[in-house]
Amino acid sequence: MKPVVIASANGNRFKNGGDMTCVERAFTLMTQGSDVLDALIAGVNIVELDPGETSVGYGGLPNADGIVQLDSSCMHGPTKRAGGVAALEGVRTPSLVAQAVMEQTSAHLLAGNGAQSFARAHGFKIEKDLNSDESRRLWLEWKKRIGPSHELDPERRAEIAHRVMLEMIAEGLVDPIHTVSMPEARSAA
């Protein structure tokens, strides 16, 4: 049986200056006998560490306040264990933190400051700002286009923010892909 790796488009595109994409790295490691989850996360790390990719990791687009907050989850099929992080700040590879949550705790999800504290306690480097020059530039452009932040109606504010993001996507400033996922690795006949 031959391994199959399925990924979103950015898993087939970004290489972070290397010669392998996320999918190629995961596939190579799996065919060399690595644990499937370890192989997939090693592949995802390529995308997470690529400053040219604005959907995840270092270079990911920030929230409305200009802060890059990252989410990741993983599941290990053979052991039926899962772990995840949400709104994690300061760690370029949230997939590795999610894996550590799965392996080191009985929790399934850590979020915000708790996720960051866990990461720090487990030796992950915490950086003050994960914005790349490009993600910061795009955020400033988005802020300029949404106008003054005095809009009090949350629905109206969300509507304006969504419209501006769609405009920026249509203009090619922002890639419509906003996640990397490797939802499935399986053997095929």
Side-chain angles (χ1 to χ4, degrees):
M1 292 217 235
K2 204 160 70 166
V4 175
V5 178
I6 300 169
S8 56
N10 53 355
N12 287 296
R13 189 172 53 211
F14 289 91
K15 296 184 177 184
N16 192 25
D19 60 352
M20 287 185 158
T21 65
C22 173
V23 170
E24 291 167 335
R25 179 75 176 139
F27 183 82
T28 297
L29 289 171
M30 285 191 304
T31 58
Q32 292 172 348
S34 291
D35 176 79
V36 172
L37 182 59
D38 291 338
L40 293 174
I41 288 177
V44 167
N45 291 162
I46 291 172
V47 180
E48 289 176 329
L49 294 169
D50 193 327
E53 166 52 79
T54 57
S55 70
V56 298
Y58 175 63
L61 294 177
N63 64 18
D65 295 323
I67 299 166
V68 177
Q69 293 182 314
L70 303 170
D71 308 325
S72 184
S73 63
C74 65
M75 176 180 258
H76 190 257
T79 62
K80 311 257 188 295
R81 300 209 50 220
V85 292
L88 174 62
E89 296 176 16
V91 180
R92 292 183 184 208
T93 53
S95 62
L96 289 172
V97 181
Q99 185 179 26
V101 168
M102 178 192 77
E103 292 173 347
Q104 307 288 329
T105 75
S106 60
H108 292 292
L109 178 67
L110 298 178
N113 291 336
Q116 189 183 66
S117 294
F118 173 84
R120 181 178 289 111
H122 286 81
F124 289 91
K125 179 181 177 184
I126 308 297
E127 298 179 56
K128 184 170 175 57
D129 183 10
L130 290 186
N131 278 294
S132 65
D133 291 342
E134 180 67 1
S135 67
R136 184 173 287 104
R137 183 187 72 74
L138 289 169
W139 174 71
L140 290 171
E141 177 66 22
W142 178 81
K143 288 292 278 186
K144 180 177 86 174
R145 291 182 185 207
I146 64 167
S149 60
H150 64 275
E151 181 67 54
L152 297 178
D153 177 14
E155 284 185 32
R156 176 79 177 124
R157 189 172 50 242
E159 178 185 311
I160 291 168
H162 182 71
R163 178 183 48 78
V164 167
M165 184 57 69
L166 290 176
E167 288 170 6
M168 292 177 72
I169 289 169
E171 293 169 25
L173 293 173
V174 177
D175 192 327
I177 300 169
H178 289 289
T179 187
V180 63
S181 79
M182 302 270 278
E184 190 171 335
R186 62 178 178 195
S187 295

